[in-house]
Amino acid sequence: MLAYILRRLVWMVPSLVAVSFLAFFLIQLPPGDYVTTYVATLAASNEIVDQRTAQELRERFGLEQPFIVQYWKWITGILLRGDFGLSFEWQQPVSGLIWERMGLTLLLTSSTLAMTWAIALPIGVLSAVRQYSFVDYFFTFIAFLGLAIPGFLLALVLMYVAVVHFGQDVGGLFSEEYQTAPWSFAKFVDLLMHLWVPVVILAVNGTAGLVRVMRANMLDELHRPYVTTARAKGLSEIRLLIKYPVRLAINPLISTIGWMLPQLISGATIVAVVMSLPIAGPLLLQALLSQDMYLAGAFLLLMCTLTLVGMLLSDILLALVDPRIRYD
């Protein structure tokens, strides 16, 4: 296993180099550049920018240089100095902008993931064990309802409920007095008071889909010969379920870690925009819209890195959970 992990880590290096080149190339595919978008935004506000000023801005940002020169400066800055460049729109280092949002993003997504798995796994197991019972039909209906309701619509409904019935300030993750305040216990409590609304919204859709997947996997495993053999040996039902079918039924869920980690950045963007959440998704969307190539490129590179790391983690966990899987 150690040799396998080392091989995968070594292969990540050329993979990331190739991905970084492709990401930087795709960002520059749309016509124009950041200055073009900036000039168009000012024109919409009846502010005119002459061609000379626009040209000076392009020279200042290095947008007149050939693509390969821009990419080389960007990737060497990352590899040699850990410098992801300067955001055109924010006029701040990209690394500072990203890590400023990643803390809250990680807290929100990890809370959502924990809530999703804690609810979906037992419900999926129960629905499979009680197949075609009232419990199964009830949770199936709830799951389909959760899949059908758009996240932004549920966000609007829960925001209304939170304001009208709980008198809670919604929008963002902090009350107005704590938004720029230094971290303290009171600010942390205020964060928890605001966190439940987006966590519930994001968990609904994920829980609904996960329940269906877990139910289907469990139904496949419950009819296997090893389950009949375990029952014949007198193993209790609860111990049998946990030790054998559940352990194997979660394999497909573990395999999804590879795309779950990138969702730390790109997931829940629409809900985050509706609720004005200060996480990574809206910042990435704004960077793409404004063609802020260094900020957008850093986000895409980070997402690709998380994808590769997630795939490696899922392979390792599969080998630990399922004794049938071995890597030679």
Side-chain angles (χ1 to χ4, degrees):
M1 176 62 77
L2 181 59
Y4 172 79
I5 294 174
L6 291 176
R7 286 199 306 270
R8 289 286 296 270
L9 291 175
V10 170
W11 275 106
M12 280 186 185
V13 177
S15 299
L16 287 175
V17 172
V19 163
S20 67
F21 183 85
L22 182 61
F24 202 78
F25 174 74
L26 291 176
I27 292 169
Q28 298 199 12
L29 272 185
D33 50 29
Y34 170 74
V35 175
T36 306
T37 306
Y38 177 68
V39 171
T41 303
L42 292 180
S45 304
N46 295 323
E47 297 185 33
I48 305 300
V49 177
D50 56 51
Q51 292 299 321
R52 181 178 177 180
T53 303
Q55 183 65 25
E56 290 176 353
L57 286 174
R58 287 190 175 91
E59 292 175 358
R60 174 186 173 188
F61 295 139
L63 299 176
E64 289 297 310
Q65 297 175 342
F67 164 78
I68 194 65
V69 174
Q70 296 182 46
Y71 170 76
W72 180 252
K73 290 176 62 178
W74 180 63
I75 196 65
T76 53
I78 294 175
L79 295 177
L80 300 180
R81 301 184 300 276
D83 181 12
F84 287 84
L86 187 71
S87 169
F88 298 154
E89 185 172 10
W90 297 85
Q91 289 298 296
Q92 295 181 31
V94 167
S95 55
L97 289 171
I98 290 179
W99 299 124
E100 179 183 349
R101 300 289 185 104
M102 285 306 296
L104 293 176
T105 303
L106 180 61
L107 175 62
L108 177 61
T109 52
S110 59
S111 301
T112 302
L113 184 62
M115 181 177 179
T116 300
W117 281 57
I119 296 175
L121 294 186
I123 290 178
V125 173
L126 182 61
S127 295
V129 173
R130 306 296 186 204
Q131 186 182 18
Y132 302 136
S133 66
F134 171 77
V135 172
D136 184 24
Y137 286 126
F138 174 76
F139 285 121
T140 298
F141 171 76
I142 296 298
F144 282 129
L145 191 64
L147 288 171
I149 298 177
F152 72 90
L153 180 60
L154 184 62
L156 294 174
V157 172
L158 280 185
M159 288 170 69
Y160 173 81
V161 171
V163 170
V164 174
H165 296 284
F166 294 97
Q168 182 175 333
D169 178 28
V170 295
L173 292 176
F174 300 100
S175 300
E176 185 176 353
E177 62 270 22
Y178 290 109
Q179 288 182 1
T180 57
W183 279 100
S184 62
F185 180 73
K187 183 173 182 177
F188 179 71
V189 172
D190 183 72
L191 171 62
L192 296 181
M193 292 295 293
H194 287 77
L195 191 65
W196 71 270
V197 178
V199 166
V200 169
I201 294 168
L202 298 176
V204 165
N205 188 264
T207 301
L210 202 58
V211 165
R212 303 303 301 164
V213 173
M214 190 63 190
R215 178 183 182 275
N217 294 341
M218 278 295 296
L219 287 175
D220 287 339
E221 297 297 330
L222 286 174
H223 298 92
R224 298 292 176 89
Y226 70 83
V227 176
T228 304
T229 303
R231 285 199 179 100
K233 290 183 176 181
L235 206 63
S236 65
E237 193 69 16
I238 296 296
R239 186 180 177 188
L240 182 150
L241 290 175
I242 295 176
K243 188 174 182 179
Y244 297 112
V246 172
R247 183 179 176 182
L248 299 179
I250 62 174
N251 280 8
L253 305 182
I254 295 176
S255 301
T256 61
I257 293 177
W259 57 264
M260 281 183 179
L261 289 185
Q263 283 192 332
L264 294 176
I265 298 175
S266 61
T269 300
I270 297 178
V271 173
V273 171
V274 171
M275 301 191 66
S276 302
L277 302 179
I279 59 177
L283 187 61
L284 171 59
L285 177 62
Q286 182 58 35
L288 293 172
L289 291 176
S290 64
Q291 294 183 277
D292 192 345
M293 62 181 186
Y294 292 137
L295 181 56
F299 269 123
L300 294 179
L301 182 59
L302 181 57
M303 289 170 61
C304 294
T305 304
L306 290 174
T307 301
L308 294 175
V309 172
M311 292 172 63
L312 177 60
L313 288 177
S314 65
D315 289 343
I316 295 173
L317 290 175
L318 283 174
L320 294 176
V321 171
D322 193 340
R324 299 172 301 179
I325 299 175
R326 287 295 176 264
Y327 302 111
D328 298 324

